[in-house]
Amino acid sequence: MTSPKLIQEFRPRYFIKIKGNTATFLWSSSPDTPLKSSVDLKVKRHLTEVLWLAKNMGCSVNKDIVVIHNLDVYNRLIIYAWVRSTLREPKAAKRLALLVMDINSWDALYWASRLRELYWNREGYSKRLKLAKAFKLFFGLE
């Protein structure tokens, strides 16, 4: 039987790498050398808001990396970063932040998984925009 310490070492880790004006959402068992296939999303807008939300959700925020302690928080941050890039009004961004923290974990898992699927399959940006619009309509943000 394997020891709990050994199992914990191979648990996936979730983090956001900041490089310039780009935030890259990653999961990996080795954060120092993640694989290209570990990338879930890249965003280039509203990084300060994403970092603020990460701090408020209990993540460790350093200069160039955000360590996220569980999948649920990771999913919520992905949703916020992705949907926020489609919003124009700051009031809507505030409502989105409150919504992301308030939705249940099953909703967060569904929407984040659907976005990851589109991103991994290299679906066009328009399909991701349609999914963002569906999210906003479903939760009353538009």
Side-chain angles (χ1 to χ4, degrees):
M1 183 163 176
T2 58
S3 70
K5 184 177 181 181
L6 183 61
I7 292 172
Q8 192 171 13
E9 289 177 17
F10 294 109
R11 183 179 290 168
R13 296 183 186 128
Y14 309 98
F15 53 101
I16 304 170
K17 273 195 166 182
I18 309 294
K19 187 173 184 182
N21 66 342
T22 303
T24 305
F25 287 79
L26 299 157
W27 63 272
S28 178
S29 60
S30 58
D32 297 330
T33 57
L35 300 173
K36 187 176 181 179
S37 61
S38 297
V39 175
D40 284 333
L41 180 68
K42 286 186 179 184
V43 292
K44 293 186 177 187
R45 298 172 59 189
H46 311 292
L47 297 183
T48 55
E49 294 176 22
V50 172
L51 294 175
W52 175 84
L53 187 59
K55 283 181 188 176
N56 284 311
M57 295 180 97
C59 301
S60 304
V61 179
N62 295 327
K63 190 174 188 178
D64 61 345
I65 194 162
V66 177
V67 178
I68 303 164
H69 303 291
N70 66 46
L71 179 61
D72 186 51
V73 172
Y74 182 71
N75 287 335
R76 292 168 192 275
L77 289 171
I78 283 179
I79 292 169
Y80 181 82
W82 152 62
V83 176
R84 176 59 180 106
S85 66
T86 67
L87 297 174
R88 292 186 181 149
E89 296 180 24
K91 286 182 184 178
K94 184 178 180 180
R95 287 194 338 251
L96 174 62
L98 293 172
L99 172 68
V100 163
M101 290 191 287
D102 194 42
I103 62 175
N104 69 47
S105 58
W106 290 109
D107 284 335
L109 177 64
Y110 169 77
W111 290 100
S113 296
R114 184 67 181 118
L115 173 66
R116 279 194 290 271
E117 180 183 3
L118 291 176
Y119 191 83
W120 289 341
N121 291 333
R122 305 282 188 236
E123 297 288 339
Y125 184 69
S126 63
K127 287 191 179 184
R128 285 182 270 160
L129 284 178
K130 286 180 184 178
L131 190 60
K133 184 170 184 153
F135 179 89
K136 292 185 287 189
L137 288 171
F138 186 77
F139 289 105
L141 289 173
E142 274 195 349

